[in-house]
Amino acid sequence: MATLQDIGVSALINILGAFAFLLAFALLRIQPINDRVYFPKWYISGGRSGPRRAGNFVGKFVNLNVKTYFTFLNWMPQALKMTEAEIINHAGLDSAVFLRIYTLGLKIFVPITILALLILIPVNVSSGTLFFLRKELVMSDIDKLSISNVRPQSIRFFIHIALEYAFTIWICFMLYKEYDHVALMRLRFLASKRRHAEQFTVVVRNVPHVSSRSVLDTVEQFFQTNHPNTYLCQQAVYNANKFAKLVRKRDRLQNWLDYNQLKFERHPDKRPTRKKGFLGLWGERVDSIEYYKQQMKHLEKNMALERQTILKDSKSILPVSFVSFNSRWGAAVCAQTQQSKNPTLWLTNWAPEPRDIYWRNLAIPFMSLTVRKLIISVSVFALVFFYMIPIAFVQSLANLEGLEKVAPFLRPVIELKFIKSFLQGFLPGLALKIFLYILPTVLMIMSKIEGYIAHSTLERRAAAKYYYFMLVNVFLGSIIAGTAFEQLDAFLHQSPTQIPRTIGVSIPMKATFFITYIMVDGWAGIAGEILRLKPLIIFHLKNMFLVKTERDIERAMDPGSVDFPETLPSLQLYFLLGIVYAVVTPILLPFVLVFFAFAYLVYRHQIINVYNQQYESAAAFWPHVHSRIIASLLISQLLLLGLLSTKKAANSTPLLVILPILTLSFHKYCKIRFEPAFRKYPLEEAMAKDITDRTAESDVNLKAYLADAYLHPIFRSFEEEQSVEVKVKVKVEKNKPQTASDRISELSSPSPHQVNHPPSPPQVNHPSSPPHYVYHPSSPPQHAYDPSSPSHYAYHYENDIFHAPTPPHYAYHYENEP
C-alpha cells in the first residue's frame, strides 16, 4: 500500500515532468520555425500568414528577441482573454461547450472540496478504528483520513450521509443550470447560423425497390407525392468502393513520384532509379520518375473507365438519398415524422453537414445494421473482460505488501527504497495509461463497423464505449482486483463471514492508486498535450523531406482537433472519482481540482491557437455528459450504501435508500425538459428562421444553392490540382420534362474531348435540373466547406479527415494531394 512518502515521490516526478513540458513548450512556441506547429489555427483562419521574425537568415529559425524569453509564460493570461462568444465565433459551439465541462467541474468540486476537507477529515481521523485492524489489513496513513477509519455502528456516519445529500443536491443544481444554459446556447447558435445545406436536407435510408423504376425516380415520385409543397430536389448516393481503391493507389503512386522528383531536384546530377519487380527488390532497373509517371497515366485511364462504369450501372445507386426541401420547416417535418406505414422503409433523419458525413457507411444495407450492432456489443463486452487481465497485473504492482505476504521471496527486491517508491507511486498509473493508449482506435473501428454515417455520431459512440470500459476496468476493476491482491492474506486466513467487512474497509483504500493515476494522466498528461511533441517532430520531418512550396507547408501542418472519443470519457472518469470519493476519501479532491483547473487552461489555449474542428454538431454530446455525471452520482450513493452496511450502521443506512430514487427522478425530468432540444428541431424555430431569411433575402435561388451541396468529386477531374468551377444549371423548363434516369444517361455519356484522356469536370447545362450525385468511396475523399461562403464547398482527400480551405474558396475544387 502506497504511503504518504510514495505519493510524495509520485507528485514530485509528475510535477517536475509537467514543469519540464511547460517550459519546453514555452520556449519552442516562440521560435519562428515552430510557428505553424503551435499556431496552425490562425494560419487556417487567415489571421496569420507567417511567423514574426527578424530579417536575417538566423531569424527565420530562432527567435532573436531577448525580451520574449522573459515573458515566455504570457500564453497563460492570453489563453483567458478571449470571451465565450468570441470562442464560438472562432472555433464553434462544440469547442466552447467542451470548455464548459471543465468549468462545471470547478463549480462542482470547489465547494465540495472545502466542505469535505473541513468537516470529514477531522471526523475520519479522530475515530481511529484502523488502529485496531492494522495487524489484519494492509493500510497507509492516507487510509486513516478515509471513512474506513470510522468505527462500526458510529453515530458519525450521519455526518457522511448528510454531506452525501448536500453534495447530491449541489451537483444536481449545477447540472440543471448547465443543461439549461447549454440547451439555450444550442438553440441560439442554430438560430444565428447562416444558411447551410444541412438545415434544408434530410438523409433517406432503406428506399424500397420498385420494379422497372430506378432509385432516383422512386425517391422523386415519393416526395413529390407526399411532400408536394416543400420537396425541392434530391442527391443520389453511389457505391464506388472500387473507384476509391484506385484513388488510394493513385495517391500512393503520387507520393513516390513526388519523393523521387524532390530527390532529383536536390541531386540533379543523378536521376533516381528502381527495379520494376515486387517492392523494387528485383527486375529491370528503370528511371523512377518515368516509371511512376507511366504507372500514374495507366491508373488514371482505369479511373476514368471505372467512373463511367459507375455512372452507367444502375446497380451502383444505393437505396440512400439526400433529399432537400425549400424551407427548414419542410425539412423538419420530414426528418421528424414517419414516412410510411411500414416503419422500416423510407427512414428519414437530419442529414449531417457535408464535412461531417462518413461516406463509407452509406453503402451498408440498412437491414444489416441491427446484426452489426449486436456483434459489436458482444465484442465490446469481451474486450472489457479481456483487459481485466493487464489491469489486475497493474494493480498487483501497486499493492506489493499484499504480495509479500504470499510470495516472501520477492521481498529483497521490493524493499529497496527507491524501487518500492517508484513501483507504488508512479509505475501503476503510467502502465495503465499505456494500456489505454491504443484502446480509442480499436473502439472507433468498432463504431464504424456499426454503420453510423456521421463522424460526430461515430465519435460519440466510441466515447460511450470508452466510458463503459473505463468504468468497468479502470474504476471497478482497479477496486476489485486491487482489493483482492491487497487483502489476499486477510482473505486466506479469516472466516467467510468476515470477508464482506474486509472489502467494505478496503474499497476506500484504493484512493491512493487513483491519486497516482490522476497525477500521471491529469497533470503530466495534460502538460504533454500542450507540448505537441509528436506533431512537432512530424512537421519538421515533412519540412525536411517533402515540403517544396508554400502549399506543401500548409499540408504539413497538423492542427488536429479535440479528441472527443478519448477526452470526454477521461473527463467523466475524473467526475466519477471526485463524486465517489468526496465522502469516502476526501483527500483525493484537491488532486481532481488541480486537474480541472490545469486542463481548462491548456485546452483553452489549444482551441484558440491549435485545434481546427472537423465538424460542428452544436453541442450534441452534452446529453451524454449530463447522463454520465448522473451515473457517477448513483454509483457513489450505492457504494456508500454498501460500505455503511459493512459498518453495521443499521440506524443510518436506510436514510440513503431514497437518494438514488430522487437522483433518477431528477435525471428523468432533465431528459424530458432539455433533451428534445438536442434531438429535434422545433417547428416554431424553423418557421421563424425561414421567415427571417425570406424577409432579408427574398431573391435567393434556394435550388441553385442546394443543388451541389452534397456533390461528390466523382464528377470532377482527378487530374487537376487547382480549383475548378462546376456550374450546374438547375432551372427547370416546364415544356421539356425529363426523368431522373434520362439525366443519368446524359451525365454519364462522355463528351468528345474526353475520348482520348481522362474526362475533365462536366459543364452541366441541361434544360432541367440534373440529378445530384454523391460519390461513395470505401475511403472517402474529404469534404469541407467555408462557413463564410454562402453556397460553396471545398474538397480534398486526406484519410477521412475534413479540412477547411485557406484562404476561403468560392468554387468547387479538387486538390490532388500527394
Side-chain angles (χ1 to χ4, degrees), residues 708 711 715-717 720-728 760-764 789 791-793 808-814:
D708 53 6
L711 184 67
F715 289 111
R716 282 184 294 279
S717 171
E720 301 194 22
E721 296 181 5
Q722 303 299 326
S723 303
V724 182
E725 283 286 341
V726 178
K727 299 180 180 179
V728 181
S760 60
Q763 298 297 321
V764 184
S789 170
S791 60
H792 294 286
Y793 294 80
H809 295 281
Y810 294 92
Y812 277 95
H813 73 279
Y814 167 72

Side-chain angles (χ1 to χ4, degrees), residues 458-594:
L458 287 171
E459 293 196 350
R460 290 197 296 273
R461 296 307 305 167
K465 295 178 179 66
Y466 196 26
Y467 170 76
Y468 298 139
F469 174 88
M470 297 189 78
L471 174 64
V472 173
N473 282 280
V474 179
F475 182 70
L476 298 178
S478 295
I479 289 177
I480 296 171
T483 300
F485 277 105
E486 182 177 287
Q487 310 304 339
L488 190 57
D489 184 70
F491 287 166
L492 295 177
H493 297 90
Q494 66 182 210
S495 65
T497 57
Q498 296 298 312
I499 291 179
R501 173 170 169 265
T502 303
I503 294 177
V505 173
S506 302
I507 287 176
M509 297 179 184
K510 291 310 299 174
T512 54
F513 167 76
F514 289 121
I515 287 174
T516 62
Y517 178 77
I518 291 170
M519 287 188 290
V520 172
D521 181 74
W523 295 7
I526 293 298
E529 163 68 27
I530 200 171
L531 180 59
R532 306 196 76 226
L533 186 59
K534 181 180 176 181
L536 177 68
I537 295 173
I538 292 176
F539 173 79
H540 287 301
L541 287 175
K542 289 181 177 179
N543 208 22
M544 289 173 61
F545 298 107
L546 297 177
V547 169
K548 179 182 177 183
T549 65
E550 186 69 21
R551 184 179 175 187
D552 294 332
I553 295 177
E554 293 180 3
R555 291 176 181 173
M557 288 192 307
D558 180 22
S561 60
V562 177
D563 189 7
F564 288 118
E566 184 175 0
T567 307
L568 285 181
S570 298
L571 257 176
Q572 290 149 5
L573 176 66
Y574 290 115
F575 275 102
L576 175 65
L577 294 177
I579 293 172
V580 166
Y581 281 97
V583 173
V584 175
T585 310
I587 194 62
L588 179 140
L589 290 174
F591 297 90
V592 174
L593 270 182
V594 171

Side-chain angles (χ1 to χ4, degrees), residues 72 289 324 461 476 602 655 671 712 817:
F72 62 89
I289 296 176
S324 298
R461 296 307 305 167
L476 298 178
V602 168
L655 296 176
K671 192 177 182 69
H712 226 292
E817 293 191 356

Side-chain angles (χ1 to χ4, degrees), residues 173 189 226 351 354 426 729:
F173 173 71
F189 178 78
N226 296 284
F426 181 74
K729 183 175 180 180

